Amino acid sequence: MGIKVGICKEAKQGENRVVLTPGDVNGLVEQFPEVMFLVEENAGVGSGFINELYTSVGAVVVPRERLYAMANVIVGVKEPLEHEWPLIRPNHTLFKFFHLPSGKKLFDFLKALGCTVIAFESIEEADHSRPIADEMSKVAAEYSILTAEKYYVAANGKAWIECRVAVFGANGVAGRSAMEKALRRGAWTIGFDVAAPADKTDQMITALKSMLSCADGGCCSGGCNPLNRMNGWFIHPTPAAIEYFMPMFDIVVTAAAARNKNAPK
């Protein structure tokens, strides 16, 4: 039996992405002429790709049930929802984002069924980077800052440069991207990450309190304020650091992650 790749329509509400565009399919058809490419009806409509664009490059458009019955490789963006589970067969290879550490019920179902699962977020290069997950993390992080800016300005009637931003998990791909975006747009931004030395963080807080006391300062915009020099710093989220800094922040971005585990709380 030859390989038949099924490109499914996303079932999650509000999810309009399609995993492969007609251009992607065209390139794959040329590279792998022996492979049949099936596309679920209207899979690309939410992204502006009508069915005819897929058939014009050699794909076959079919209903959902037919796609799962014919294909042995199912590709999509998001994990299958529970009402889709009866369509999945043991001989299927599923290639999508899964986030299985936070979806035990789905994990148990797939394990019991015995199908093959390749999660986008788990694909690694030899250097342990994750090309698909990393790019998605960058997009999500930058979007989080743009969204935060929108609501901060609307709610406070202030410019973004007056905003104070905390980023947790600041040494990861998403955290670094969020910090860079917030800093580029002018916000006073501090990153928290367990990779920063805890002892130096607590020493720094003690010294900072002393300097602020001498300067009679707060988190002001004047160049004399020692806090200004901390803009863009990475510090360890010690209890003392959390207690001292958290009242200063207007926006908190949580980008902390643990590989193949639930995100830290």
Side-chain angles (χ1 to χ4, degrees), residues 63-106:
R64 173 170 296 179
E65 291 75 11
R66 185 68 174 154
L67 180 134
Y68 277 87
M70 293 178 64
N72 41 36
V73 177
I74 307 292
V75 295
V77 178
K78 298 297 289 181
E79 70 280 359
L81 300 184
E82 195 162 350
H83 70 266
E84 298 177 283
W85 295 1
L87 297 171
I88 303 172
R89 303 197 313 269
N91 70 314
H92 279 151
T93 294
L94 306 179
F95 194 33
K96 306 179 174 197
F97 280 108
F98 277 90
H99 310 292
L100 289 174
S102 60
K104 187 177 185 304
K105 189 175 182 180
L106 174 59

Side-chain angles (χ1 to χ4, degrees), residues 61-219:
V61 175
V62 294
R64 173 170 296 179
E65 291 75 11
R66 185 68 174 154
L67 180 134
Y68 277 87
M70 293 178 64
N72 41 36
V73 177
I74 307 292
V75 295
V77 178
K78 298 297 289 181
E79 70 280 359
L81 300 184
E82 195 162 350
H83 70 266
E84 298 177 283
W85 295 1
L87 297 171
I88 303 172
R89 303 197 313 269
N91 70 314
H92 279 151
T93 294
L94 306 179
F95 194 33
K96 306 179 174 197
F97 280 108
F98 277 90
H99 310 292
L100 289 174
S102 60
K104 187 177 185 304
K105 189 175 182 180
L106 174 59
F107 174 84
D108 290 341
F109 165 77
L110 295 171
K111 183 178 179 181
L113 184 64
C115 62
T116 300
V117 172
I118 304 174
F120 285 162
E121 66 271 19
S122 298
I123 296 173
E124 289 190 356
E125 299 283 10
D127 62 359
H128 301 297
S129 63
R130 295 189 170 185
I132 299 178
D134 288 355
E135 290 307 309
M136 293 298 294
S137 295
K138 291 175 184 177
V139 171
E142 295 203 3
Y143 183 74
S144 73
I145 295 300
L146 293 175
T147 303
E149 179 178 353
K150 171 185 173 181
Y151 287 106
Y152 172 81
V153 172
N156 297 283
K158 298 178 181 179
W160 178 249
I161 59 172
E162 298 180 64
C163 186
R164 295 164 297 222
V165 178
V167 178
F168 284 84
N171 197 45
V173 173
R176 287 196 301 271
S177 297
M179 278 200 71
E180 290 169 4
K181 189 71 170 181
L183 288 165
R184 283 200 307 269
R185 298 188 69 80
W188 185 81
T189 307
I190 298 293
F192 292 87
D193 199 280
V194 293
D199 56 343
K200 291 184 178 180
T201 293
D202 287 342
Q203 292 169 13
M204 177 268 296
I205 292 173
T206 300
L208 183 62
K209 287 179 178 179
S210 178
M211 286 188 289
L212 286 173
S213 177
C214 291
D216 193 27
C219 191

